[in-house]
Amino acid sequence: MQSMAYVKRMRDLREDHDYTQEYVARILGTSQTMYARYERAANELPIHHLLTLCRLYQVSADYILGLTDHPHGYPARMEEY
């Protein structure tokens, strides 16, 4: 994935869970307007928000960031990858 592809993954996760931007913004403790800016890559997502999204969606940061297509991170051994 390209470097800003995490914004698509954030939006896809939100939509897959049938969450509104307002709901996710409330979980993050920010405004809907600011959260929308994260999804458009107008503002970079702070790390503390990334961690909260990982807990909300029960996925790894690597998954949200597009470093892996495995929602729960990399397998224990590369042979399993």
Side-chain angles (χ1 to χ4, degrees):
M1 292 183 101
Q2 32 182 291
S3 62
M4 296 305 280
Y6 74 91
V7 298
K8 179 178 179 350
R9 185 132 309 155
M10 284 175 39
R11 184 180 61 246
D12 289 347
L13 282 166
R14 179 179 58 77
E15 291 174 350
D16 288 348
H17 285 80
D18 295 322
Y19 294 157
T20 63
Q21 286 185 342
E22 181 66 37
Y23 175 77
V24 176
R26 207 171 331 125
I27 297 293
L28 296 178
T30 193
S31 68
Q32 181 275 328
T33 302
M34 182 55 75
Y35 181 77
R37 292 180 62 82
Y38 298 147
E39 281 195 3
R40 288 194 321 272
N43 284 77
E44 288 188 13
L45 182 71
I47 291 175
H48 66 278
H49 287 336
L50 173 63
L51 296 173
T52 301
L53 292 176
C54 290
R55 288 190 294 271
L56 175 65
Y57 298 124
Q58 298 182 345
V59 297
S60 71
D62 284 348
Y63 180 75
I64 292 177
L65 295 173
L67 299 175
T68 182
D69 288 330
H70 299 278
H72 303 291
Y74 295 99
R77 290 177 286 153
M78 289 305 289
E79 298 86 44
E80 297 173 15
Y81 193 75

Coordinates of all heavy atoms in Angstrom, one line a residue:
M1 N 0.8 -1.2 0.0 CA 0.0 0.0 0.0 C 0.9 1.2 0.0 O 2.0 1.2 0.5 CB -0.9 0.0 1.2 CG -1.9 -1.0 1.3 SD -3.0 -0.9 2.8 CE -4.4 -0.1 2.0
Q2 N 0.4 2.3 -0.6 CA 1.1 3.5 -0.5 C 1.1 4.2 0.8 O 0.3 3.8 1.7 CB 0.6 4.5 -1.6 CG -0.8 4.3 -1.9 CD -1.3 5.2 -3.1 OE1 -1.3 6.4 -2.9 NE2 -1.6 4.6 -4.2
S3 N 1.9 5.2 1.1 CA 2.0 5.8 2.4 C 0.8 6.4 3.0 O 0.5 6.3 4.2 CB 3.2 6.8 2.4 OG 2.8 7.9 1.5
M4 N -0.1 6.9 2.1 CA -1.3 7.5 2.6 C -2.5 6.6 2.5 O -3.6 7.0 2.8 CB -1.6 8.9 1.9 CG -0.5 9.9 2.2 SD -0.2 10.3 3.9 CE -1.6 11.3 4.2
A5 N -2.3 5.4 2.2 CA -3.4 4.4 2.0 C -4.0 4.1 3.3 O -5.1 3.5 3.3 CB -2.9 3.1 1.3
Y6 N -3.4 4.4 4.4 CA -4.0 4.2 5.7 C -5.4 4.9 5.9 O -6.2 4.4 6.6 CB -3.1 4.5 6.9 CG -2.9 6.0 7.2 CD1 -3.7 6.6 8.1 CD2 -1.9 6.7 6.6 CE1 -3.6 8.0 8.3 CE2 -1.7 8.0 6.8 CZ -2.6 8.7 7.7 OH -2.4 10.0 8.0
V7 N -5.5 6.0 5.1 CA -6.8 6.7 5.2 C -7.9 5.9 4.6 O -9.0 5.9 5.2 CB -6.7 8.1 4.6 CG1 -5.7 9.0 5.3 CG2 -6.4 8.1 3.1
K8 N -7.6 5.2 3.6 CA -8.6 4.3 3.0 C -9.0 3.1 4.0 O -10.1 2.8 4.2 CB -8.2 3.7 1.7 CG -9.2 2.8 1.0 CD -8.8 2.3 -0.3 CE -9.8 1.3 -1.0 NZ -10.9 0.8 -0.3
R9 N -7.9 2.6 4.6 CA -8.2 1.5 5.5 C -9.0 2.0 6.7 O -9.9 1.3 7.2 CB -6.8 0.9 6.0 CG -7.0 -0.3 6.8 CD -6.3 -1.5 6.5 NE -6.2 -2.2 5.3 CZ -5.2 -2.9 5.0 NH1 -4.2 -3.1 5.8 NH2 -5.2 -3.6 3.8
M10 N -8.7 3.2 7.2 CA -9.5 3.8 8.3 C -11.0 3.9 7.9 O -11.9 3.5 8.7 CB -9.0 5.2 8.7 CG -7.7 5.2 9.5 SD -7.1 6.8 9.8 CE -8.5 7.8 10.1
R11 N -11.2 4.4 6.7 CA -12.6 4.6 6.3 C -13.3 3.3 6.1 O -14.4 3.1 6.5 CB -12.6 5.4 5.0 CG -14.0 5.7 4.5 CD -14.0 6.5 3.2 NE -13.4 5.8 2.1 CZ -12.3 6.2 1.5 NH1 -11.7 7.3 1.8 NH2 -11.7 5.4 0.5
D12 N -12.5 2.3 5.5 CA -13.1 1.0 5.2 C -13.5 0.3 6.6 O -14.5 -0.3 6.7 CB -12.1 0.1 4.4 CG -12.0 0.5 3.0 OD1 -12.8 1.3 2.5 OD2 -11.1 0.0 2.3
L13 N -12.6 0.4 7.5 CA -12.9 -0.2 8.8 C -14.1 0.4 9.5 O -15.0 -0.3 10.0 CB -11.7 -0.1 9.8 CG -10.5 -1.0 9.6 CD1 -9.3 -0.6 10.3 CD2 -10.9 -2.4 10.0
R14 N -14.2 1.7 9.4 CA -15.3 2.5 10.0 C -16.6 2.0 9.3 O -17.6 1.7 10.0 CB -15.1 4.0 9.9 CG -16.3 4.8 10.4 CD -16.1 6.2 10.3 NE -15.9 6.7 9.0 CZ -16.8 6.9 8.0 NH1 -18.1 6.6 8.3 NH2 -16.6 7.3 6.8
E15 N -16.6 2.0 8.0 CA -17.8 1.6 7.2 C -18.2 0.1 7.4 O -19.3 -0.2 7.5 CB -17.6 1.9 5.7 CG -17.6 3.4 5.5 CD -17.3 3.8 4.0 OE1 -16.9 2.9 3.3 OE2 -17.4 5.0 3.7
D16 N -17.2 -0.7 7.5 CA -17.4 -2.2 7.7 C -18.1 -2.4 9.1 O -18.8 -3.4 9.3 CB -16.1 -3.0 7.7 CG -15.5 -3.1 6.3 OD1 -16.2 -2.8 5.3 OD2 -14.4 -3.5 6.2
H17 N -17.8 -1.5 10.1 CA -18.5 -1.6 11.4 C -19.8 -0.8 11.5 O -20.4 -0.7 12.6 CB -17.5 -1.2 12.5 CG -16.4 -2.2 12.7 ND1 -15.3 -2.4 11.9 CD2 -16.3 -3.1 13.7 CE1 -14.6 -3.3 12.4 NE2 -15.1 -3.8 13.4
D18 N -20.1 -0.2 10.4 CA -21.3 0.7 10.4 C -21.3 1.8 11.4 O -22.3 2.2 12.0 CB -22.6 -0.1 10.6 CG -22.9 -1.1 9.4 OD1 -22.6 -0.8 8.3 OD2 -23.3 -2.2 9.7
Y19 N -20.1 2.4 11.5 CA -19.9 3.5 12.4 C -19.9 4.8 11.6 O -19.5 4.8 10.5 CB -18.5 3.4 13.2 CG -18.4 2.3 14.1 CD1 -17.1 1.9 14.5 CD2 -19.4 1.7 14.7 CE1 -16.9 0.8 15.4 CE2 -19.3 0.6 15.6 CZ -18.0 0.2 15.9 OH -17.8 -0.8 16.8
T20 N -20.4 5.8 12.2 CA -20.4 7.2 11.6 C -19.1 7.8 12.0 O -18.4 7.5 13.0 CB -21.6 8.0 12.1 OG1 -21.4 8.3 13.5 CG2 -22.9 7.4 11.8
Q21 N -18.7 8.9 11.2 CA -17.6 9.7 11.6 C -17.8 10.3 13.0 O -16.8 10.4 13.7 CB -17.3 10.7 10.5 CG -16.7 10.2 9.3 CD -16.4 11.4 8.3 OE1 -16.8 12.5 8.4 NE2 -15.5 11.0 7.3
E22 N -19.0 10.7 13.2 CA -19.3 11.3 14.5 C -19.1 10.4 15.7 O -18.5 10.7 16.7 CB -20.8 11.8 14.5 CG -21.2 12.5 15.8 CD -20.5 13.8 16.1 OE1 -20.3 14.5 15.1 OE2 -20.2 14.1 17.3
Y23 N -19.4 9.1 15.5 CA -19.2 8.1 16.5 C -17.7 7.9 16.8 O -17.3 7.9 17.9 CB -19.9 6.8 16.2 CG -19.6 5.7 17.2 CD1 -20.3 5.6 18.4 CD2 -18.7 4.7 16.9 CE1 -20.0 4.7 19.3 CE2 -18.4 3.7 17.8 CZ -19.1 3.7 19.0 OH -18.8 2.7 19.9
V24 N -17.0 7.7 15.7 CA -15.5 7.4 15.9 C -14.9 8.7 16.5 O -14.0 8.5 17.3 CB -14.9 7.0 14.5 CG1 -13.4 6.8 14.7 CG2 -15.5 5.7 14.0
A25 N -15.3 9.8 16.0 CA -14.7 11.1 16.6 C -14.9 11.1 18.1 O -14.0 11.5 18.9 CB -15.3 12.3 15.9
R26 N -16.1 10.8 18.5 CA -16.4 10.8 20.0 C -15.5 9.8 20.7 O -15.0 10.2 21.8 CB -17.9 10.4 20.2 CG -18.5 11.0 21.4 CD -20.0 10.9 21.5 NE -20.7 10.8 20.3 CZ -21.5 9.8 19.9 NH1 -21.8 8.8 20.7 NH2 -22.1 9.8 18.7
I27 N -15.3 8.6 20.1 CA -14.4 7.6 20.8 C -13.0 8.2 20.9 O -12.3 8.0 21.9 CB -14.4 6.3 19.9 CG1 -15.8 5.7 19.9 CG2 -13.3 5.4 20.4 CD1 -16.2 5.1 21.2
L28 N -12.6 9.0 19.9 CA -11.2 9.5 19.9 C -11.1 10.8 20.7 O -10.0 11.3 21.0 CB -10.8 9.9 18.4 CG -10.6 8.7 17.5 CD1 -10.3 9.2 16.1 CD2 -9.6 7.7 18.0
G29 N -12.3 11.4 21.1 CA -12.3 12.6 21.9 C -12.0 13.8 21.0 O -11.3 14.8 21.4
T30 N -12.4 13.8 19.8 CA -12.2 14.9 18.8 C -13.5 15.2 18.1 O -14.5 14.6 18.4 CB -11.0 14.5 17.8 OG1 -10.6 15.7 17.1 CG2 -11.5 13.5 16.8
S31 N -13.5 16.2 17.3 CA -14.7 16.6 16.5 C -14.8 15.7 15.3 O -13.9 15.2 14.7 CB -14.6 18.1 16.1 OG -13.6 18.3 15.2
Q32 N -16.1 15.7 14.8 CA -16.3 15.0 13.5 C -15.6 15.7 12.4 O -15.0 15.0 11.5 CB -17.8 15.0 13.2 CG -18.2 14.2 12.0 CD -18.1 15.1 10.7 OE1 -18.3 16.3 10.7 NE2 -17.8 14.5 9.6
T33 N -15.5 17.0 12.4 CA -14.7 17.7 11.4 C -13.3 17.3 11.4 O -12.7 17.0 10.3 CB -14.8 19.2 11.6 OG1 -16.2 19.6 11.6 CG2 -14.1 20.0 10.6
M34 N -12.6 17.2 12.5 CA -11.2 16.8 12.6 C -11.1 15.3 12.1 O -10.1 15.0 11.4 CB -10.7 16.9 14.0 CG -9.2 16.6 14.1 SD -8.1 17.5 12.9 CE -8.1 19.1 13.7
Y35 N -12.0 14.5 12.6 CA -11.9 13.1 12.1 C -12.0 13.0 10.6 O -11.3 12.2 10.0 CB -12.9 12.2 12.8 CG -12.8 10.8 12.3 CD1 -11.7 10.0 12.9 CD2 -13.6 10.2 11.3 CE1 -11.5 8.7 12.4 CE2 -13.4 8.9 10.9 CZ -12.3 8.2 11.4 OH -12.1 6.9 10.9
A36 N -12.9 13.7 10.0 CA -13.1 13.8 8.6 C -11.8 14.2 7.9 O -11.4 13.7 6.8 CB -14.2 14.7 8.2
R37 N -11.1 15.1 8.5 CA -9.8 15.6 8.0 C -8.8 14.4 8.0 O -7.9 14.3 7.1 CB -9.3 16.8 8.7 CG -10.2 18.0 8.5 CD -9.7 19.3 9.2 NE -8.3 19.7 8.8 CZ -8.0 20.4 7.8 NH1 -9.0 20.8 7.0 NH2 -6.8 20.7 7.5
Y38 N -8.8 13.6 9.0 CA -7.9 12.4 9.1 C -8.2 11.5 7.9 O -7.3 11.0 7.3 CB -8.0 11.7 10.4 CG -7.7 12.4 11.7 CD1 -8.4 12.1 12.8 CD2 -6.7 13.4 11.7 CE1 -8.0 12.8 14.0 CE2 -6.4 14.0 12.8 CZ -7.0 13.8 14.0 OH -6.7 14.4 15.2
E39 N -9.5 11.2 7.7 CA -9.9 10.3 6.6 C -9.6 10.9 5.2 O -9.5 10.1 4.3 CB -11.4 10.0 6.7 CG -11.7 8.9 7.7 CD -13.1 8.3 7.6 OE1 -13.8 8.6 6.6 OE2 -13.4 7.5 8.5
R40 N -9.4 12.2 5.1 CA -9.1 12.8 3.8 C -7.6 13.1 3.7 O -7.1 13.5 2.7 CB -9.8 14.1 3.6 CG -11.3 14.0 3.4 CD -11.9 15.4 2.9 NE -11.3 16.6 3.5 CZ -11.8 17.1 4.6 NH1 -12.8 16.6 5.3 NH2 -11.2 18.2 5.1
A41 N -6.8 12.7 4.7 CA -5.4 13.0 4.8 C -5.1 14.5 4.8 O -4.0 14.9 4.4 CB -4.6 12.2 3.7
A42 N -6.0 15.3 5.2 CA -5.8 16.7 5.3 C -5.0 17.0 6.6 O -4.2 18.0 6.7 CB -7.1 17.5 5.4
N43 N -5.1 16.1 7.6 CA -4.3 16.2 8.8 C -3.8 14.8 9.1 O -4.5 13.8 8.8 CB -5.2 16.6 10.0 CG -5.5 18.0 10.1 OD1 -6.3 18.5 9.3 ND2 -4.8 18.8 10.9
E44 N -2.6 14.7 9.6 CA -2.0 13.4 10.0 C -2.7 12.9 11.2 O -3.0 13.6 12.2 CB -0.5 13.4 10.2 CG 0.2 13.6 8.9 CD 1.7 13.5 9.0 OE1 2.2 13.1 10.1 OE2 2.4 13.9 8.1
L45 N -2.9 11.6 11.3 CA -3.5 10.9 12.4 C -2.5 10.8 13.6 O -1.5 10.2 13.4 CB -4.0 9.5 12.1 CG -4.7 8.7 13.1 CD1 -6.1 9.3 13.4 CD2 -4.9 7.3 12.7
P46 N -2.8 11.4 14.7 CA -1.9 11.3 15.9 C -1.7 9.8 16.3 O -2.7 9.0 16.2 CB -2.5 12.1 17.0 CG -3.4 13.0 16.3 CD -3.9 12.3 15.1
I47 N -0.6 9.5 16.8 CA -0.4 8.1 17.3 C -1.4 7.6 18.3 O -1.8 6.5 18.3 CB 1.1 7.9 17.8 CG1 2.0 8.0 16.6 CG2 1.3 6.6 18.5 CD1 3.5 8.0 16.9
H48 N -1.7 8.5 19.3 CA -2.6 8.1 20.3 C -4.0 7.8 19.7 O -4.7 6.9 20.2 CB -2.7 9.2 21.5 CG -3.3 10.5 21.1 ND1 -2.6 11.5 20.5 CD2 -4.5 11.0 21.3 CE1 -3.3 12.5 20.3 NE2 -4.6 12.2 20.8
H49 N -4.4 8.4 18.6 CA -5.6 8.1 18.0 C -5.5 6.8 17.2 O -6.4 6.0 17.2 CB -6.1 9.2 17.0 CG -6.6 10.4 17.6 ND1 -7.1 10.5 18.9 CD2 -6.7 11.7 17.2 CE1 -7.5 11.7 19.2 NE2 -7.3 12.4 18.1
L50 N -4.3 6.5 16.6 CA -4.1 5.2 16.0 C -4.2 4.1 17.0 O -4.9 3.1 16.7 CB -2.7 5.2 15.4 CG -2.2 3.9 14.8 CD1 -3.1 3.4 13.6 CD2 -0.8 4.0 14.4
L51 N -3.7 4.2 18.1 CA -3.8 3.2 19.2 C -5.3 3.0 19.6 O -5.7 1.8 19.8 CB -2.9 3.5 20.4 CG -1.4 3.6 20.1 CD1 -0.7 4.1 21.3 CD2 -0.9 2.3 19.6
T52 N -6.0 4.0 19.7 CA -7.4 3.9 20.0 C -8.2 3.2 18.9 O -9.0 2.4 19.2 CB -8.0 5.3 20.3 OG1 -7.3 5.9 21.4 CG2 -9.5 5.2 20.7
L53 N -7.9 3.5 17.7 CA -8.5 2.8 16.6 C -8.2 1.4 16.5 O -9.1 0.5 16.2 CB -8.2 3.5 15.2 CG -8.7 4.9 15.0 CD1 -8.2 5.5 13.7 CD2 -10.2 4.9 15.0
C54 N -7.0 1.0 16.9 CA -6.6 -0.4 16.9 C -7.4 -1.1 18.0 O -7.9 -2.2 17.7 CB -5.1 -0.5 17.3 SG -4.0 0.0 16.0
R55 N -7.6 -0.5 19.1 CA -8.5 -1.1 20.2 C -9.9 -1.2 19.7 O -10.6 -2.2 19.9 CB -8.3 -0.4 21.5 CG -7.0 -0.6 22.2 CD -6.9 -0.1 23.6 NE -7.0 1.4 23.6 CZ -6.0 2.2 23.6 NH1 -4.8 1.8 23.4 NH2 -6.2 3.5 23.6
L56 N -10.4 -0.1 19.1 CA -11.8 -0.1 18.7 C -12.1 -1.2 17.7 O -13.1 -1.9 17.8 CB -12.1 1.3 18.1 CG -13.5 1.5 17.5 CD1 -14.6 1.4 18.5 CD2 -13.6 2.8 16.7
Y57 N -11.3 -1.3 16.7 CA -11.5 -2.3 15.6 C -10.8 -3.7 15.9 O -11.0 -4.6 15.1 CB -11.0 -1.7 14.3 CG -11.7 -0.5 13.9 CD1 -11.0 0.7 13.6 CD2 -13.1 -0.4 13.7 CE1 -11.6 1.8 13.2 CE2 -13.8 0.7 13.3 CZ -13.0 1.9 13.1 OH -13.7 3.0 12.7
Q58 N -10.1 -3.8 16.9 CA -9.4 -5.0 17.3 C -8.5 -5.5 16.2 O -8.5 -6.6 15.7 CB -10.3 -6.1 17.8 CG -11.1 -5.6 19.0 CD -12.0 -6.7 19.5 OE1 -12.3 -7.7 18.8 NE2 -12.5 -6.5 20.7
V59 N -7.7 -4.5 15.6 CA -6.7 -4.8 14.6 C -5.3 -4.2 15.0 O -5.3 -3.4 15.9 CB -7.1 -4.3 13.2 CG1 -8.4 -4.9 12.8 CG2 -7.2 -2.8 13.3
S60 N -4.3 -4.6 14.3 CA -3.0 -4.1 14.6 C -2.7 -2.8 13.9 O -3.4 -2.4 12.9 CB -1.9 -5.1 14.2 OG -1.8 -5.1 12.7
A61 N -1.8 -2.0 14.5 CA -1.4 -0.8 13.9 C -0.8 -1.0 12.5 O -1.1 -0.3 11.5 CB -0.4 0.0 14.7
D62 N -0.1 -2.1 12.3 CA 0.5 -2.5 11.0 C -0.6 -2.6 10.0 O -0.5 -2.2 8.8 CB 1.3 -3.7 11.1 CG 2.6 -3.5 11.7 OD1 3.1 -2.4 11.9 OD2 3.3 -4.6 12.1
Y63 N -1.8 -3.2 10.4 CA -2.9 -3.4 9.5 C -3.5 -2.0 9.0 O -3.6 -1.7 7.9 CB -4.0 -4.2 10.1 CG -5.1 -4.5 9.2 CD1 -5.1 -5.3 8.1 CD2 -6.3 -3.8 9.4 CE1 -6.1 -5.5 7.3 CE2 -7.4 -4.0 8.6 CZ -7.3 -4.8 7.5 OH -8.4 -5.0 6.7
I64 N -3.7 -1.1 10.0 CA -4.3 0.2 9.7 C -3.3 0.9 8.8 O -3.7 1.6 7.8 CB -4.6 1.0 10.9 CG1 -5.8 0.3 11.7 CG2 -5.0 2.4 10.6 CD1 -6.2 1.0 12.9
L65 N -2.0 0.9 9.1 CA -1.0 1.6 8.3 C -0.7 1.0 7.0 O 0.0 1.6 6.2 CB 0.3 1.7 9.2 CG 0.2 2.5 10.4 CD1 1.4 2.4 11.3 CD2 -0.2 4.0 10.1
G66 N -1.2 -0.2 6.7 CA -1.0 -0.8 5.4 C 0.3 -1.6 5.3 O 0.7 -1.9 4.2
L67 N 0.9 -1.9 6.4 CA 2.1 -2.6 6.4 C 1.9 -4.1 6.2 O 2.8 -4.9 5.9 CB 3.0 -2.3 7.6 CG 3.4 -0.9 7.8 CD1 4.1 -0.7 9.2 CD2 4.3 -0.4 6.7
T68 N 0.7 -4.5 6.5 CA 0.3 -5.9 6.3 C -1.2 -6.0 6.0 O -1.9 -5.1 6.3 CB 0.6 -6.8 7.6 OG1 0.2 -8.1 7.4 CG2 -0.2 -6.2 8.8
D69 N -1.6 -7.1 5.3 CA -3.0 -7.3 5.0 C -3.6 -8.2 6.1 O -4.8 -8.6 5.9 CB -3.2 -7.8 3.6 CG -2.9 -6.7 2.6 OD1 -3.2 -5.5 2.9 OD2 -2.5 -7.1 1.5
H70 N -2.8 -8.6 7.1 CA -3.3 -9.4 8.1 C -3.8 -8.5 9.3 O -3.0 -7.8 9.9 CB -2.2 -10.3 8.7 CG -1.6 -11.3 7.7 ND1 -2.2 -12.5 7.3 CD2 -0.5 -11.2 6.9 CE1 -1.5 -13.1 6.4 NE2 -0.5 -12.3 6.1
P71 N -5.1 -8.5 9.5 CA -5.7 -7.6 10.5 C -5.1 -7.7 11.9 O -5.0 -6.7 12.7 CB -7.2 -8.0 10.6 CG -7.4 -8.7 9.3 CD -6.2 -9.3 8.9
H72 N -4.5 -8.9 12.3 CA -4.0 -9.0 13.6 C -2.5 -9.1 13.6 O -1.8 -9.6 14.6 CB -4.6 -10.3 14.3 CG -6.1 -10.2 14.3 ND1 -6.7 -9.3 15.1 CD2 -7.0 -10.9 13.6 CE1 -8.0 -9.5 14.9 NE2 -8.2 -10.4 14.0
G73 N -1.8 -8.5 12.6 CA -0.4 -8.4 12.6 C 0.2 -9.5 11.8 O -0.4 -10.3 11.2
Y74 N 1.5 -9.6 11.9 CA 2.3 -10.6 11.2 C 2.2 -11.9 12.0 O 2.1 -12.0 13.2 CB 3.8 -10.2 11.1 CG 4.0 -9.0 10.3 CD1 4.1 -7.7 10.9 CD2 4.0 -9.1 8.9 CE1 4.3 -6.6 10.0 CE2 4.1 -8.0 8.1 CZ 4.3 -6.7 8.7 OH 4.4 -5.6 7.9
P75 N 2.2 -13.0 11.3 CA 2.3 -14.4 11.9 C 3.5 -14.5 12.8 O 4.5 -13.8 12.6 CB 2.3 -15.3 10.7 CG 1.8 -14.6 9.6 CD 2.2 -13.2 9.8
A76 N 3.5 -15.4 13.7 CA 4.6 -15.7 14.6 C 5.9 -16.0 13.9 O 7.0 -15.6 14.2 CB 4.3 -16.7 15.6
R77 N 5.8 -16.8 12.8 CA 7.0 -17.2 12.0 C 6.8 -16.8 10.6 O 5.6 -17.0 10.1 CB 7.2 -18.7 12.2 CG 7.7 -19.1 13.6 CD 7.8 -20.6 13.7 NE 6.5 -21.2 13.7 CZ 6.2 -22.4 13.3 NH1 7.1 -23.2 12.8 NH2 4.9 -22.8 13.4
M78 N 7.8 -16.4 9.9 CA 7.7 -16.0 8.5 C 7.2 -17.2 7.6 O 6.6 -16.9 6.6 CB 9.0 -15.5 8.0 CG 9.3 -14.1 8.6 SD 8.0 -12.9 8.3 CE 8.2 -12.6 6.6
E79 N 7.5 -18.4 8.0 CA 7.0 -19.6 7.2 C 5.5 -19.6 7.1 O 4.9 -20.1 6.1 CB 7.5 -20.9 7.8 CG 9.0 -21.1 7.9 CD 9.6 -20.5 9.2 OE1 9.0 -20.7 10.2 OE2 10.6 -19.8 9.1
E80 N 4.8 -19.0 8.1 CA 3.4 -19.0 8.1 C 2.8 -17.8 7.2 O 1.7 -17.8 7.0 CB 2.8 -18.8 9.5 CG 3.2 -20.0 10.4 CD 2.8 -19.7 11.9 OE1 2.0 -18.8 12.1 OE2 3.3 -20.4 12.7
Y81 N 3.7 -16.9 6.8 CA 3.3 -15.7 6.1 C 2.9 -16.0 4.7 O 3.5 -16.7 4.0 CB 4.4 -14.7 6.3 CG 3.9 -13.3 5.8 CD1 3.1 -12.6 6.6 CD2 4.3 -12.8 4.6 CE1 2.7 -11.3 6.2 CE2 3.8 -11.6 4.2 CZ 3.0 -10.8 5.0 OH 2.6 -9.6 4.6

